[in-house]
Amino acid sequence: MRARAFLASILAVALVLSGCAGPDHTIAPAGAPQPVESTTAPSPHPTVAKPPKPPLRPLPAKLPAGLRRNSGVRPVVLTFDDGPNPTWTPKVLDQLRAAKVTATFCVVGREVQRHPELVRRIVREGHQLCNHSWRHDLDLARRPVKEMKADLERTNKAIQAAAPGAKVSFYRQPGGRWTPEVLAVAKDLGMRPLHWSVDPQDWDKPNAATIGKRIHTAARPGAIVLLHDGGGDRAETLAACPHLIADLKKRFGITKLR
């Protein structure tokens, strides 16, 4: 009996000791807190907070002074925005050539980069080029001056890469959302701000008859007419062009910007 009691005592001590051992088989002091295994994996890349973007500059209550809104002579000026587009721009060019008139194409930089051959054709056929920003950012004129300048310079470089030596005398702000700051940037880069006086809102895709009627009603001597050869389906603009070109040519004449 004494032998059995002794063996039982030895076994109890062994069990106690094994229960108090840590994961490395060392004995934990009595009352010591037991380690808790973490369930959260460490992040391989620590999160770095990005600096907040500067707030957008507010738009002025009215259009700033200095915008080109008239040809300065009796004939009117046709302008086409948001191209070049491989579907619509060649057809617009065909119509202008058939009517023996020229226009100003306000081109978007990334479209110039995609379709440089159309820029070369525009220049080759005697039309003018106007910088219309890199990606048609409606808020560009509200951004920091450094961003505006980089955008306009990038677009001019794309134009020069497509048509080396092409003259880019004008800049048109997307949406006509001008600020004094973007006017100053364009001037520093040797470009005059080009606005318009007749907007038939062809970007909203009214039918051809409506486009023609709006232009006929609003046009005056020296008008600058806003149309589009890119930025969406321009089938109705294209359908309106033969009649509106003939009408404007007969009433006022059509000229280049000077």
Side-chain angles (χ1 to χ4, degrees):
M1 293 293 292
R2 290 181 179 179
R4 288 180 180 177
F6 178 75
L7 288 173
S9 300
I10 294 297
L11 180 59
V13 171
L15 289 172
V16 170
L17 292 176
S18 64
C20 294
D24 55 355
H25 303 291
T26 59
I27 304 301
Q34 296 300 309
V36 178
E37 183 177 355
S38 173
T39 58
T40 304
S43 174
H45 303 292
T47 302
V48 179
K50 293 182 179 180
K53 291 185 177 181
L56 293 176
R57 184 181 298 105
L59 288 172
K62 60 181 182 178
L63 289 173
L67 300 178
R68 184 74 181 272
R69 305 177 72 174
N70 190 282
S71 70
V73 291
R74 180 174 176 79
V76 304
V77 172
L78 297 176
T79 65
F80 291 89
D81 284 18
D82 299 354
N85 177 278
T87 300
W88 309 113
T89 304
K91 295 174 182 178
V92 170
L93 288 168
D94 288 346
Q95 291 190 1
L96 294 172
R97 182 171 56 189
K100 298 181 180 179
V101 297
T102 55
T104 300
F105 286 82
C106 301
V107 295
V108 175
R110 62 183 179 183
E111 301 304 321
V112 168
Q113 191 175 65
R114 291 168 181 162
H115 310 292
E117 73 286 351
L118 293 178
V119 180
R120 289 192 285 273
R121 181 180 170 186
I122 289 169
V123 174
R124 185 170 63 249
E125 296 187 6
H127 306 287
Q128 292 176 307
L129 292 174
C130 168
N131 183 320
H132 196 33
S133 82
W134 179 256
R135 60 181 181 87
H136 203 271
D137 178 4
L138 292 172
D139 287 324
L140 180 62
R142 304 173 64 196
R143 301 191 187 281
V145 169
K146 185 177 180 180
E147 287 187 34
M148 289 190 281
K149 185 176 181 182
D151 186 291
L152 271 59
E153 287 181 326
R154 185 181 185 187
T155 303
N156 278 344
K157 286 178 181 178
I159 293 171
Q160 291 303 316
K167 192 173 181 180
V168 185
S169 300
F170 299 94
Y171 170 70
R172 175 172 279 172
Q173 169 61 25
R177 303 176 73 179
W178 297 94
T179 61
E181 290 79 8
V182 79
L183 264 68
V185 169
K187 183 179 179 181
D188 287 345
L189 295 176
M191 296 182 290
R192 287 172 282 171
L194 177 60
H195 198 64
W196 56 82
S197 58
V198 178
D199 178 9
Q201 299 185 352
D202 67 325
W203 46 266
D204 198 31
K205 303 181 182 68
N207 61 43
T210 299
I211 294 172
K213 182 178 179 180
R214 288 173 178 173
I215 292 175
H216 178 84
T217 301
R220 300 289 183 272
I224 294 178
V225 181
L226 171 63
L227 292 163
H228 293 79
D229 66 321
D233 185 338
R234 300 303 171 207
E236 295 300 325
T237 298
L238 192 73
C241 275
H243 177 73
L244 72 87
I245 290 172
D247 177 57
L248 293 173
K249 189 176 179 182
K250 180 180 179 180
R251 294 166 65 201
F252 310 107
I254 296 174
T255 189
K256 281 185 179 182
L257 286 164
R258 290 179 175 81

